[in-house]
């Protein structure tokens, strides 16, 4: 792609920032202007619109120099001023959060507070992410205690945010850079582990790549094949889930196949399964059922002849762009449309199912008007990844990840929930403590004589089921009291 000529507005912003930051230096010893220029470059790489790029250039001027918000408004317009103000509020001692203290006293969840403060214009968040990315890239210049603090915050707040926006590339770079500071020993250990694994797998991977390529060519399928590198931080998190047993991590070796359209994705899946044995329960169709952040792909894990476990990820070019660059990619593809929608105060035309952003903006607006909102519900919708499970009849039920059989039962109907005596998962007897997994077929066994038990409260994950159960328990208690008095 040819680099478009720098617009006159952007050049003016660069001149203003240079003058304003004159004589200031970063901890690295470089002139301060290096930082806003790096943020500018990142935003350009993400394909952001001109106002965002200008605001990126100017993002530290109001806080650190004599330039005022009014100056920016006069020179560059309302939209740029709004973005700079948003970023400034976020960085000045989290003033953005203090602002929302007044209308959001009941939540101590910093992540949620940050999101709501940002809810007004998602581009503020994107500038903040670019700012943080450059800061974490240059973190080595800071004293160790500051390094740890910033790295930790990056892992806890900014990397999950990047994930929420489906900015995969950013998430991986940020979290691996930060993890290195938070736990250097663990980082080195896992890095070696992955490298060693890759060395061992290299030869058979070459063979697999050859076999797949040949089979796809035979089917006259146009494709791009590449290996994907597993992020060290995500391996760290996965290892914790699997008792540190690396043999249970099935996506250490993964190959990505990019094709032209959705139909071809399924064709490729068929070709792969005709070559290798798919592992049971490891086919995930995120094309038909995208992840909540809009991620789409088909995943399948197979076992090769020489007993290698390999994950394949199949997707279209557009899905790939979106998985790597997320929300930024939608700006790129849809800039005009999205910008117009921002101006009109609505963003329902986001090209993916990033509905949580709309929800966030609505919530932010309500809070500013002093209306009450259900924060628990918002939190659940924002943070819980969904799983899809099935009734024996094949009806699909979506539940937050972590849900248990009783959540499923109460979701179907309170009457079913109240009379649970057992559960069959995928045709086998199971128990009420068993976490449901994506794609499970769940059959609830009931008995007329069963009544709700208070011990069930510990076997429930969703607030929905908890509310229903508590209601029944209260009713029951009330009935028993009245009975006792008779
Ligand atoms: Mn900055």
């Amino acid at each position: 792609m040819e680099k478009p000529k720098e617009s006159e507005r952007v050049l003016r912003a660069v001149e203003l920032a240079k003058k304003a930051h004159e004589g200031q230096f970063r901890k690295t010893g470089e002139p301060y202007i290096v930082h806003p220029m790096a943020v500018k470059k990142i935003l350009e790489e993400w394909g952001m619109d001109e106002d965002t790029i200008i605001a990126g250039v100017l993002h530290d001027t109001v806080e650190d120099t004599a330039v005022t918000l009014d100056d920016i408004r006069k020179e560059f317009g309302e939209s740029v001023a709004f973005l700079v103000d948003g970023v400034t509020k976020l960085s000045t001692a989290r003033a953005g959060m203090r602002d929302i203290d007044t209308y959001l006293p009941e939540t101590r969840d910093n992540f949620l507070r940050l999101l709501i403060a940002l809810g007004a214009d998602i581009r503020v968040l994107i500038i903040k992410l670019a700012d943080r990315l450059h800061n974490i890239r240059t973190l080595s210049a800071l004293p160790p205690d500051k390094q740890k603090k910033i790295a930790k915050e990056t892992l806890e707040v900014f990397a999950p945010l990047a994930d929420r926006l489906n900015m995969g590339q950013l998430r991986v770079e940020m979290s691996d850079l930060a993890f290195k500071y938070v736990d250097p020993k663990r980082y080195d250990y896992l890095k070696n582990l992955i490298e060693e694994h890759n060395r061992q797998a290299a030869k058979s991977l070459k063979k697999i790549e050859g076999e797949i390529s040949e089979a796809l060519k035979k089917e006259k399928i146009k494709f791009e094949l590449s290996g994907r590198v597993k992020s060290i931080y995500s391996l760290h998190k996965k290892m914790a889930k699997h008792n540190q047993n690396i043999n249970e991590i099935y996506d250490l070796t993964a190959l990505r196949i990019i094709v032209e359209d959705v139909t071809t994705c399924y064709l490729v899946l068929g070709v792969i399964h005709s070559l290798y044995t798919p592992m049971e329960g490891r086919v995930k169709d995120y094309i038909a059922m995208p992840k909540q952040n809009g991620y789409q792909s088909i995943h399948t894990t197979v076992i090769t002849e020489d007993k290698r476990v390999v994950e394949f990820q199949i997707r279209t070019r557009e899905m790939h762009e979106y998985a790597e660059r997320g929300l930024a990619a939608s700006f790129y593809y849809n800039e005009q449309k999205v910008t117009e929608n921002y101006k009109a105060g609505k963003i329902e035309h986001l090209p993916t199912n990033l509905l949580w952003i709309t929800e966030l903006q609505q919530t932010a607006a309500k809070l500013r008007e002093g209306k009450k909102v259900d924060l628990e519900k918002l939190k659940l919708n924002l943070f819980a990844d969904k799983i899809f499970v099935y009734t024996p009849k094949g009806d699909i039920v979506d539940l937050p990840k972590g849900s248990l059989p009783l959540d499923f039962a109460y979701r179907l109907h309170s009457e079913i929930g109240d009379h649970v005596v057992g559960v069959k998962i995928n045709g086998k007897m199971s128990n009420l403590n068993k976490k449901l997994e994506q794609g499970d077929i769940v059959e609830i066994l009931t008995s007329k004589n069963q009544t709700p038990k208070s011990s069930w409260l510990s076997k429930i994950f969703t607030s929905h089921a908890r509310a229903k159960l508590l209601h029944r328990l209260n009713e029951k208690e009330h009935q028993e009291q009245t009975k006792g008095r008779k």
Side-chain angles (χ1 to χ4, degrees), residues 32 35 39 59-60 128 131 135:
Y32 195 86
H35 169 64
V39 170
H59 80 273
D60 278 330
K128 189 66 206 165
D131 176 45
N135 283 335

Side-chain angles (χ1 to χ4, degrees), residues 416-448:
I416 299 180
D418 289 347
H419 297 101
V420 172
V421 286
V423 61
K424 273 187 183 174
I425 298 176
N426 301 324
K428 281 184 214 141
M429 281 309 294
S430 187
N431 66 65
L432 298 180
N433 289 315
K434 177 86 176 64
K435 267 193 198 158
L436 300 179
E437 307 262 355
Q438 176 78 358
D440 277 348
I441 300 168
V442 187
E443 185 182 349
I444 297 293
L445 309 175
T446 57
S447 153
K448 271 205 316 274

Side-chain angles (χ1 to χ4, degrees), residues 91-140:
S91 46
T92 46
R94 296 277 176 272
M97 290 198 210
R98 254 193 280 123
D99 262 6
I100 58 172
D101 269 344
T102 49
Y103 52 78
L104 203 64
E106 64 264 59
T107 178
R108 290 279 147 251
D109 188 323
N110 281 338
F111 192 13
L112 188 61
R113 301 164 78 79
L114 179 77
L115 281 173
I116 290 170
L118 287 165
D121 189 331
I122 207 76
R123 292 177 302 174
V124 170
L125 209 147
I126 290 181
I127 298 170
K128 189 66 206 165
L129 285 170
D131 176 45
R132 179 50 62 107
L133 177 60
H134 183 243
N135 283 335
I136 197 110
R137 277 178 182 167
T138 51
L139 198 59
S140 61

Side-chain angles (χ1 to χ4, degrees), residues 168-186:
Q169 220 169 35
L170 174 67
R171 172 185 56 84
V172 169
E173 182 178 353
M174 263 190 172
S175 50
D176 278 7
L177 280 173
F179 186 46
K180 204 158 83 179
Y181 289 98
V182 171
D183 194 345
K185 270 194 197 135
R186 180 83 179 148

